[in-house]
Amino acid sequence: MALSLSSRSLFTSSYKSLSPLKNPFSSFPIRQYRILFVLDPCKYNNKTTRYKLPRRRSSFSTHASAALQEAPAPNEKIVLPTNESSDGLLRIRHTCAHVMAMAVQKLYPNAKVTIGPWIDNGFYYDFDMEPLTDRDLKRIKKEMDRIISRNLPLVREEVSRDEAQRRIMSINEPYKIEILESIKEEPITIYHIGDEWWDLCAGPHVETTGKINKKAIELESVAGAYWRGDVKKPMLQRIYGTAWENEDQLKAYLHFKEEAKRRDHRRIGQDLDLFSIQDEAGGGLVFWHPKGAIIRHIIEDTWKKIHMERGYDLLYTPHVAKADLWKISGHLDFYKENMFDQMEIEEELFQLRPMNCPYHVLIYKRQLHSYRDFPIRVAELGTVYRYELSGSLHGLFRVRGFTQDDAHIFCLEDQIKDEIRGVLDLTEEILQQFGFDKYEVNLSTRPEKAVGDDEIWEKATFALKDALEDKGWSYQIDDGGGAFYGPKIDLKIEDALGRKWQCSTIQVDFNLPQRFDITYVDSNQERKRPIMIHRAVLGSLERFFGVLIENYAGDFPLWLSPIQARVLPVTDAQLQYCNEVGKKLKASGIRVEVCSGERLPKLIRNAEKQKIPLMAVVGPKEVETETITVRSRFAGELGNMSIDEFISRTKTASENRTFL
């Protein structure tokens, strides 16, 4: 599906993988939702002198318009298609990968080619060659332009496996031999660019290179990538490119990239002092700084409150367990490459937990349950540890230690639908608290290899469908995409740029109840096995925090902002009164800090840079009348008010998620 965007809209993206080696962008409809309740620096009256910060725009209708307030606004509409919506665009991107490989080998004859697929928003190709620089990319792009201008035909040829092998060996392309061995279908297909270059390929491609608009292509970056993703294999040079149908689409995409860069949570996290990852402690381990920790505390409190209201019992479980537990759960068999090495303690092997679910099963198993006890709902903000390659670590999005908002429901077969519907309602409530109200939903069904009989799979799958239809949510079916232990629902939230992030998941599990042999006593006093439902709403606190940072560009709404207000004296003569105001605000539950030691304009600029929602300026007049003068970041001047009025209005706005 193509989408029509004006230049004041933003192209959209999706993280199908969090690896920095993969292009993170994809096109989806833009979302428009933000309500800001932030306040800005204020005027100040000191006798006859006015201190005023230049007025900023007073309101934004959406995140997109907020992000682009500085951008020009051409009148024309720009259509940004996707690979799925435009077969022509997919062919262009696939052909560009081949053209780029041909250009590379013309410029660097010793370069060996490997694979070169199309991806969301473009293409890449991996080469075994000397390291490349940005200057090299410019040379390669010029050579691509020459190839495109020659309007060379792309010709499909079918050959036998033996003939393909003979040709590959004749040009000394060892990686292609390995690729050929992995192709099971016959005949083998080859695509030629003119009579100068060819590659093993199934297509599709454009008819000639002249079908590509060279002004709609850009080579973006080069990165290292292990052959087949295996650290024991050679490091390759991966060149990323983007390709579009026309120049306007490319400009819109590049503009989106700049906006995404501006919102990068790693930069904002450093600028606002929210979190860090310390080399001394190790990669992928997050340090939550005081301001970031406050936001985490708010997230956790919101999460816990809603869960307890919905009938969940909270749990806390250990960070390690005997290795045998993970053998019973199957993680040692199916997930070992993502687990840290075991440690020996008093001649027993222990394991850092990669998942919380076995612990919750053990808590269930501590006593015999009756059918009358169901449903049983337990929830935990449980920190887990998973081994990730250092090259794949990426800010808060790919880490080695993170806290899952995990919950498990034990229920009867005829309770599955109602419990799933309850989870969908809870998910919607929590996500809306943080400003997310548009989702992409996928229902994944039974794969070829699965545990559990056909009847229970069918019942569970229909229960998930019924719950989604009851909810009125549209969804797509991923046929055969379920886990081996049960069907699942995956939900992606859409952020201010229209990017989609995998957060929420609901999974029915027939495996762990069987592996741990958990049962209950039914109405006939017979032992039966309960249904287990795994579910997470936020996914992980670290990743969700990263999404929040980028969604708001660090400009958090009032209720979520780590510092809601700064009290600023015009001179140090008002500092004592400012401290008294600060104490009163803190006592009322408002997160506040008093800043001094600089001239007022600089104090205001510093507060702006730190994206402080509210500023209260104090001078002699305010001290005399025991008031403050308030201005918001976006609503502008709010004027003079008493401390009690400020407290009341701020708390009401924070509680209601509205403007002050």
Side-chain angles (χ1 to χ4, degrees):
M1 177 179 67
L3 60 134
S4 180
L5 300 177
S6 71
S7 65
R8 289 188 68 83
S9 296
L10 288 174
F11 184 51
T12 61
S13 74
S14 167
Y15 278 102
K16 290 189 175 179
S17 165
L18 292 178
S19 170
L21 295 181
K22 295 190 177 179
N23 191 312
F25 305 105
S26 172
S27 36
F28 294 97
I30 187 165
R31 107 171 262 261
Q32 299 189 8
Y33 81 88
R34 184 184 186 188
I35 296 178
L36 294 172
F37 9 79
V38 287
L39 305 173
D40 210 349
C42 68
K43 67 178 182 179
Y44 170 65
N45 181 2
N46 180 10
K47 294 185 179 178
T48 60
T49 305
R50 287 276 192 189
Y51 298 85
K52 184 179 289 189
L53 190 73
R55 184 181 295 275
R56 296 179 53 171
R57 288 174 173 83
S58 61
S59 64
F60 298 156
S61 61
T62 66
H63 265 233
S65 61
L68 292 177
Q69 59 174 316
E70 304 294 337
N75 295 322
E76 70 273 10
K77 295 284 184 178
I78 300 172
V79 176
L80 292 173
T82 68
N83 289 335
E84 292 75 20
S85 69
S86 174
D87 180 64
L89 179 59
L90 185 147
R91 291 172 182 269
I92 287 171
R93 288 172 173 169
H94 197 181
T95 306
C96 282
H98 282 220
V99 170
M100 180 174 71
M102 177 177 173
V104 167
Q105 291 198 307
K106 276 183 173 293
L107 296 172
Y108 307 92
N110 293 327
K112 304 299 180 186
V113 295
T114 60
I115 58 171
W118 72 83
I119 54 177
D120 292 340
N121 300 333
F123 57 93
Y124 74 79
Y125 216 112
D126 288 348
F127 304 91
D128 189 349
M129 63 183 299
E130 62 195 69
L132 295 168
T133 65
D134 289 342
R135 187 175 180 180
D136 295 322
L137 294 187
K138 292 179 181 178
R139 290 185 65 210
I140 295 168
K141 175 60 168 61
K142 286 183 180 179
E143 184 61 34
M144 289 178 67
D145 290 347
R146 282 192 284 269
I147 294 169
I148 291 169
S149 297
R150 292 171 64 194
N151 198 26
L152 298 172
L154 279 95
V155 180
R156 183 178 184 273
E157 180 186 11
E158 294 183 357
V159 298
S160 68
R161 186 174 296 274
D162 289 342
E163 174 62 14
Q165 183 171 348
R166 185 192 67 77
R167 293 191 190 184
I168 293 169
M169 294 180 70
S170 70
I171 58 174
N172 189 26
E173 291 283 8
Y175 295 96
K176 289 298 178 185
I177 291 292
E178 189 174 334
I179 293 171
L180 179 64
E181 290 171 353
S182 68
I183 299 174
K184 304 303 180 186
E185 301 82 8
E186 292 202 33
I188 305 301
T189 58
I190 290 174
Y191 272 85
H192 299 261
I193 300 180
D195 57 1
E196 301 177 32
W197 192 88
W198 59 269
D199 194 6
L200 297 173
C201 188
H205 292 280
V206 297
E207 294 84 1
T208 69
T209 60
K211 296 287 185 181
I212 300 169
N213 184 340
K214 58 188 177 185
K215 292 184 178 180
I217 302 169
E218 182 166 298
L219 298 186
E220 299 183 280
S221 63
V222 61
Y226 290 108
W227 172 236
R228 299 296 195 189
D230 188 340
V231 295
K232 297 178 181 177
K233 293 184 177 179
M235 172 68 77
L236 308 174
Q237 296 292 297
R238 174 173 294 180
I239 302 176
Y240 283 109
T242 187
W244 299 91
E245 295 168 332
N246 56 59
E247 194 173 358
D248 287 339
Q249 291 177 8
L250 175 61
K251 287 179 180 177
Y253 166 73
L254 295 177
H255 179 64
F256 167 80
K257 275 189 64 179
E258 284 302 310
E259 177 58 23
K261 182 179 178 181
R262 185 182 75 84
R263 291 169 177 262
D264 190 313
H265 73 281
R266 295 167 297 180
R267 180 187 62 79
I268 293 174
Q270 181 176 349
D271 291 346
L272 300 185
D273 196 24
L274 300 174
F275 73 92
S276 65
I277 296 173
Q278 305 285 343
D279 289 339
E280 292 87 345
L285 303 173
V286 181
F287 287 73
W288 295 75
H289 298 188
K291 291 179 181 178
I294 288 174
I295 298 177
R296 173 170 175 156
H297 170 72
I298 296 168
I299 295 171
E300 290 184 352
D301 269 9
T302 302
W303 186 91
K304 289 177 182 177
K305 180 176 181 290
I306 294 174
H307 276 76
M308 289 189 287
E309 289 173 352
R310 295 293 184 119
Y312 285 80
D313 293 317
L314 300 182
L315 302 177
Y316 294 93
T317 57
H319 288 233
V320 297
K322 291 182 180 179
D324 286 346
L325 180 67
W326 309 106
K327 192 176 295 182
I328 297 171
S329 70
H331 287 97
L332 278 177
D333 294 326
F334 299 106
Y335 205 70
K336 188 173 183 179
E337 68 276 8
N338 294 103
M339 298 168 66
F340 280 97
D341 290 342
Q342 296 172 4
M343 62 190 86
E344 185 174 334
I345 302 174
E346 295 181 350
E347 299 183 351
E348 283 191 294
L349 292 176
F350 282 75
Q351 178 76 55
L352 280 171
R353 64 175 173 186
M355 305 277 188
N356 300 306
C357 28
Y359 291 154
H360 295 187
V361 174
L362 291 183
I363 290 176
Y364 172 93
K365 198 174 180 180
R366 77 194 188 282
Q367 66 185 58
L368 182 62
H369 292 278
S370 163
Y371 70 97
R372 296 186 183 89
D373 299 333
F374 295 104
I376 297 171
R377 308 183 189 104
V378 294
E380 176 181 15
L381 293 169
T383 301
V384 298
Y385 302 90
R386 298 180 186 174
Y387 174 66
E388 300 282 356
L389 295 174
S390 58
S392 70
L393 299 175
H394 183 71
L396 297 175
F397 293 153
R398 182 67 70 88
V399 294
R400 288 173 172 164
F402 56 93
T403 301
Q404 287 185 310
D405 69 315
D406 234 342
H408 295 91
I409 300 170
F410 301 92
C411 64
L412 309 178
E413 286 184 23
D414 60 3
Q415 294 175 331
I416 296 176
K417 175 188 171 182
D418 289 340
E419 289 305 305
I420 297 297
R421 173 58 196 268
V423 172
L424 295 178
D425 290 342
L426 177 145
T427 298
E428 183 177 43
E429 182 178 358
I430 291 178
L431 293 179
Q432 284 186 346
Q433 295 277 326
F434 297 98
F436 300 108
D437 56 11
K438 191 171 183 181
Y439 326 114
E440 177 184 292
V441 183
N442 293 287
L443 171 61
S444 302
T445 61
R446 181 172 184 162
E448 287 186 19
K449 294 182 179 180
V451 299
D453 58 45
D454 292 342
E455 183 181 359
I456 189 60
W457 267 89
E458 187 174 341
K459 283 184 178 179
T461 303
F462 274 117
L464 296 181
K465 287 182 180 178
D466 286 348
L468 285 170
E469 287 165 6
D470 241 20
K471 186 68 179 167
W473 284 357
S474 60
Y475 62 92
Q476 297 176 341
I477 293 182
D478 180 9
D479 195 24
F484 75 93
Y485 50 76
K488 63 176 181 172
I489 294 171
D490 289 321
L491 186 148
K492 297 177 182 177
I493 61 175
E494 204 171 284
D495 75 0
L497 299 189
R499 297 175 296 184
K500 297 192 178 182
W501 305 86
Q502 173 68 57
C503 286
S504 309
T505 185
I506 308 165
Q507 303 175 354
V508 180
D509 188 353
F510 312 127
N511 180 51
L512 286 185
Q514 180 179 326
R515 282 181 170 271
F516 283 91
D517 192 26
I518 60 173
T519 60
Y520 68 93
V521 177
D522 71 4
S523 57
N524 297 320
Q525 300 302 305
E526 296 180 359
R527 294 287 186 98
K528 294 288 182 65
R529 206 172 301 289
I531 300 296
M532 184 177 181
I533 299 172
H534 302 254
R535 45 112 303 199
V537 177
L538 307 179
S540 84
L541 295 187
E542 286 76 7
R543 186 165 180 265
F544 186 72
F545 184 41
V547 173
L548 277 178
I549 293 172
E550 298 204 359
N551 181 62
Y552 289 110
D555 222 342
F556 298 107
L558 182 63
W559 75 279
L560 199 54
S561 182
I563 303 298
Q564 295 175 306
R566 267 190 186 175
V567 183
L568 308 176
V570 173
T571 69
D572 286 348
Q574 294 86 44
L575 187 55
Q576 181 178 347
Y577 176 74
C578 287
N579 288 330
E580 292 172 3
V581 171
K583 288 179 182 178
K584 189 169 184 178
L585 296 181
K586 283 184 180 179
S588 299
I590 295 173
R591 299 184 292 278
V592 64
E593 58 187 14
V594 178
C595 290
S596 62
E598 302 282 356
R599 293 182 50 140
L600 181 62
K602 186 168 184 180
L603 292 176
I604 290 173
R605 285 196 299 272
N606 290 342
E608 278 281 281
K609 289 179 181 179
Q610 289 296 301
K611 303 182 187 295
I612 306 297
L614 298 170
M615 296 182 201
V617 175
V618 174
K621 182 178 177 181
E622 282 73 19
V623 174
E624 181 183 343
T625 58
E626 296 186 350
T627 60
I628 53 177
T629 300
V630 181
R631 184 169 171 164
S632 75
R633 271 180 56 75
F634 295 109
E637 299 176 8
L638 301 181
N640 190 267
M641 64 182 72
S642 69
I643 309 303
D644 289 339
E645 181 186 359
F646 178 75
I647 290 171
S648 175
R649 292 176 64 179
T650 302
K651 291 182 71 174
T652 299
S654 184
E655 289 167 4
N656 296 333
R657 277 47 164 182
T658 60
F659 286 98
L660 186 64

